[in-house]
Amino acid sequence: DDYTVISATDGDGGFQKAKIDQPDLILLDINMPKKNGIATCEALRTDNATKHIPIIMLTAYGDVDTRTRSYLGGADDFLDKPFHLEELMARVYSKMKRVIEARDGIKKNATIECGNLVLNIDKIEVVVSGKIIPLSVLEFNLLRFFLENIDRVVTREMILVGVWKGADVNDRTVDTHLVSLRKRLLEFNRSITTIYGAGYILKSVEVAAVSELPND
């Protein structure tokens, strides 16, 4: 998924690599040699070079005590084994998005433009070809999610994390709201396209339909 991955085989090695390489995110097991995951997490949180890095714990020990000690040790998130890869990637995406926004200084009180559409975050307003398009807050947030991830294929899991913030909703919820959003944006000269088996994408340039002609 275009992430560069650095690995370590034990807690001490992971701590040292994190100090040197300064990753944007750390995935941390608990049952590791030399220094277990919770101790490693605590060490990362007390070191000035690494205390700001988001940490997701991945472990087969999903009991309340282990979760509590992980969060008290400084973990940002916790995922039980076995887990679905799609859920892990959605959580990674959510954390990385915040890291990139903070690093690049992305302003929240701004407008986003794409084709003939302008989205005003302060006013919660969408204008297409000079005409205000009435959207619900959820539809607005869904459109904003696509505009902030333009030219990138996003999965349903990423949308659920980014728009519904982990609320207990299913994949059909995404599909239903996408249908509604598309109907409201018929005059928008871009489209949210379904990539079968992968997810959805909003492209920054208008894609012309090409039909195949029979050979002479």
Side-chain angles (χ1 to χ4, degrees):
D1 228 26
D2 293 330
Y3 297 121
T4 299
V5 179
I6 302 165
S7 62
T9 56
D10 59 70
D12 284 341
F15 175 65
Q16 294 301 324
K17 284 191 175 185
K19 289 183 65 174
I20 295 170
D21 296 314
Q22 292 287 291
D24 292 315
L25 175 71
I26 295 172
L27 303 179
L28 195 58
D29 201 352
I30 287 183
N31 187 20
M32 299 188 297
K34 296 186 179 179
K35 191 193 296 286
N36 69 35
I38 294 175
T40 303
C41 185
E42 291 171 345
L44 291 165
R45 283 291 173 257
T46 55
D47 193 287
N48 287 332
T50 58
K51 64 182 182 181
H52 64 286
I53 303 173
I55 298 173
I56 301 177
M57 306 295 288
L58 305 176
T59 178
Y61 301 96
D63 57 278
V64 174
D65 180 63
T66 302
R67 284 177 174 271
T68 301
R69 289 190 295 121
S70 296
Y71 286 125
L72 290 176
D76 296 281
D77 205 349
F78 192 104
L79 192 57
D80 293 350
K81 296 178 183 177
F83 50 81
H84 291 289
L85 182 59
E86 291 81 4
E87 181 180 3
L88 172 60
M89 294 308 298
R91 295 191 188 209
V92 167
Y93 165 80
S94 177
K95 300 291 185 298
M96 289 291 291
K97 185 171 182 291
R98 296 191 187 107
V99 169
I100 292 169
E101 285 178 348
R103 185 176 62 204
D104 295 345
I106 295 175
K107 291 184 178 180
K108 293 297 183 182
N109 57 338
T111 59
I112 304 175
E113 297 185 25
C114 178
N116 64 339
L117 180 147
V118 179
L119 181 144
N120 189 305
I121 295 171
D122 284 343
K123 296 181 179 180
I124 313 181
E125 181 181 85
V126 173
V127 177
V128 176
S129 296
K131 177 183 176 182
I132 295 177
I133 305 299
L135 298 179
S136 68
V137 173
L138 192 52
E139 288 169 340
F140 179 89
N141 289 334
L142 184 58
L143 175 60
R144 177 181 173 183
F145 177 85
F146 276 100
L147 291 169
E148 290 178 340
N149 292 280
I150 201 158
D151 291 325
R152 177 177 184 177
V153 175
V154 294
T155 64
R156 286 188 179 91
E157 289 77 14
M158 288 179 178
I159 297 171
L160 287 171
V161 170
V163 179
W164 277 267
K165 309 300 182 185
D168 187 18
V169 295
N170 57 40
D171 291 352
R172 291 298 302 166
T173 301
V174 175
D175 297 337
T176 300
H177 283 85
L178 271 175
V179 169
S180 174
L181 181 61
R182 283 165 168 162
K183 288 180 179 178
R184 294 183 182 275
L185 297 177
L186 293 177
E187 297 180 32
F188 182 26
N189 59 6
R190 306 290 188 272
S191 62
I192 299 170
T193 305
T194 301
I195 308 296
Y196 292 100
Y200 306 90
I201 188 170
L202 173 63
K203 292 186 178 292
S204 57
V205 296
E206 191 170 5
V207 180
V210 179
S211 60
E212 294 186 1
L213 299 176
N215 295 326
D216 292 336

